[in-house]
Amino acid sequence: MKLIMAVVQDQDSNRLMSALVDNNFRSTKLATTGGFLKSGNTTFMIGVEDVRVNKCLQIIRDNCKSRDQLMAPISPMGGNADSYIPYPVEVSVGGATVFVLPIDQFHQF
Amino acid sequence: MKLIMAVVQDQDSNRLMSALVDNNFRSTKLATTGGFLKSGNTTFMIGVEDVRVNKCLQIIRDNCKSRDQLMAPISPMGGNADSYIPYPVEVSVGGATVFVLPIDQFHQF
Amino acid sequence: MKLIMAVVQDQDSNRLMSALVDNNFRSTKLATTGGFLKSGNTTFMIGVEDVRVNKCLQIIRDNCKSRDQLMAPISPMGGNADSYIPYPVEVSVGGATVFVLPIDQFHQF
Ligand code: NI
Ligand code: NI
Ligand code: NI
């Protein structure tokens, strides 16, 4: 068994949880605040049999990997038209920081 | 030293904390949301000397293990009498998912 | 790589976060509730290259170590003058409990 700790962005959290459940991975979520990733994030703790570690990593990458996204321009509230960008901009979203930890014992009571 | 990560149900959390304190185990609780166990849960991080790991696991099992509980029937609000079960039913409560992690270094500052 | 889990008091949390950022350590904070340390606390998860573990531990110790602090006397609300101590008292604040965990794999997606 391994314990996978994965820090992912909040916006990818529900999709990752669904994908883990669909693939019979059991996880728990820890409430986390800022840090590795820019906006709000969530840490998943996932107990994984050794032979399924790669599958789990693939699911995390597929659902959370850093990618560019077009963001519609937002009208500046109350002015400062100087800094207004009147066309969509590409921003980087998502991303995951993943630790695979060895474990000495695993128990379910 | 080992680091024990134990995910337990909220309803067993206070009792486990008391039992750990009574036995001189030092722990901290992480706020967790759903996952390994059906209802709300809490993750305990417990730093344990190697010779006391079994004692700690026994305390977790004694206070959190999955067990059946009789639940009194609840009158259906606003009807749907079809699904009303007018006698106590047995439900499974509790349960713990426990990881014992090796550690390289332990410090208290 | 190592994963450092550090439980520190809330009052030292912001200062530690700044010091970690200044030194290019990447961390995430877990919301924690009581336990190892008396008042509210925060758990930092920090991914650290092996050669920088000592530097990281030094930063945690410098910003969080247990120390005595003079506390101004507080006038008792609504009386009980018997227990009122009319001079500053020394109280112990801070402190950190730190686990350095080995990791099998580290990924950023
Ligand atoms: Ni294994
Ligand atoms: Ni040890
Ligand atoms: Ni390493």
Side-chain angles (χ1 to χ4, degrees):
Chain A
M1 289 286 293
K2 302 293 178 195
L3 177 59
I4 294 183
M5 304 280 280
V7 185
V8 309
Q9 283 208 353
D10 286 343
Q11 66 188 91
D12 297 334
S13 172
N14 285 340
R15 192 176 47 203
L16 175 57
M17 178 58 94
S18 295
L20 290 172
V21 169
D22 287 349
N23 288 274
N24 294 311
F25 286 104
R26 311 189 74 196
S27 68
T28 201
K29 284 192 284 184
L30 304 176
T32 46
T33 56
F36 286 121
L37 304 165
K38 278 162 246 157
S39 69
N41 58 55
T42 303
T43 297
F44 283 76
M45 271 174 50
I46 317 166
V48 183
E49 301 84 17
D50 293 41
V51 295
R52 299 189 74 213
V53 166
N54 284 343
K55 176 66 180 170
C56 186
L57 292 172
Q58 183 200 317
I59 290 170
I60 297 168
R61 187 175 48 230
D62 287 351
N63 287 281
C64 306
K65 70 169 174 294
S66 183
R67 66 268 182 194
D68 289 335
Q69 200 171 63
L70 277 184
M71 218 162 104
I74 299 161
S75 297
M77 290 286 288
N80 196 356
D82 288 349
S83 67
Y84 177 62
I85 305 164
Y87 43 83
V89 289
E90 246 185 17
V91 293
S92 173
V93 297
T97 300
V98 184
F99 302 93
V100 181
L101 304 179
I103 66 179
D104 278 358
Q105 296 181 44
F106 173 70
H107 298 278
Q108 278 182 295
F109 296 132
Chain B
M1 290 286 292
K2 302 294 178 195
L3 177 59
I4 294 182
M5 304 281 279
V7 185
V8 309
Q9 284 208 353
D10 286 344
Q11 66 188 92
D12 297 333
S13 172
N14 286 341
R15 191 175 47 201
L16 176 58
M17 179 58 94
S18 296
L20 291 172
V21 169
D22 287 348
N23 288 274
N24 294 311
F25 286 105
R26 310 190 74 196
S27 67
T28 202
K29 283 192 287 182
L30 305 175
T32 45
T33 56
F36 285 123
L37 303 166
K38 278 160 244 156
S39 68
N41 58 56
T42 304
T43 296
F44 283 76
M45 271 174 49
I46 318 167
V48 183
E49 302 84 16
D50 294 40
V51 295
R52 298 188 74 213
V53 166
N54 284 342
K55 176 66 181 171
C56 186
L57 292 172
Q58 184 200 318
I59 290 170
I60 297 169
R61 188 175 47 229
D62 287 351
N63 286 281
C64 307
K65 70 170 174 295
S66 183
R67 68 267 179 194
D68 288 334
Q69 199 172 62
L70 277 185
M71 217 162 105
I74 301 161
S75 296
M77 291 285 288
N80 197 356
D82 288 348
S83 68
Y84 177 62
I85 305 165
Y87 44 84
V89 289
E90 246 185 19
V91 294
S92 173
V93 297
T97 300
V98 184
F99 302 93
V100 181
L101 304 178
I103 67 180
D104 277 358
Q105 296 182 43
F106 173 71
H107 298 278
Q108 277 180 296
F109 296 132
Chain C
M1 289 286 292
K2 303 292 179 195
L3 176 59
I4 294 182
M5 304 280 279
V7 185
V8 309
Q9 284 207 353
D10 286 343
Q11 66 188 92
D12 296 333
S13 172
N14 285 341
R15 192 176 48 202
L16 176 58
M17 179 58 95
S18 296
L20 290 172
V21 169
D22 287 349
N23 287 274
N24 295 310
F25 287 104
R26 311 191 73 197
S27 67
T28 201
K29 282 192 287 181
L30 304 176
T32 46
T33 56
F36 286 122
L37 304 166
K38 279 162 243 153
S39 69
N41 58 56
T42 303
T43 296
F44 283 76
M45 270 175 50
I46 317 166
V48 183
E49 302 84 16
D50 294 40
V51 296
R52 298 188 75 214
V53 166
N54 284 343
K55 176 67 181 168
C56 186
L57 292 173
Q58 184 199 318
I59 290 170
I60 297 169
R61 188 176 46 231
D62 286 352
N63 287 280
C64 306
K65 71 170 172 294
S66 183
R67 67 269 181 193
D68 289 334
Q69 200 171 61
L70 277 184
M71 216 163 106
I74 299 160
S75 297
M77 291 284 288
N80 196 357
D82 289 347
S83 68
Y84 176 60
I85 304 165
Y87 45 83
V89 288
E90 247 184 20
V91 294
S92 173
V93 297
T97 300
V98 183
F99 302 93
V100 181
L101 304 178
I103 66 179
D104 276 358
Q105 296 182 45
F106 173 71
H107 298 279
Q108 278 182 295
F109 297 131

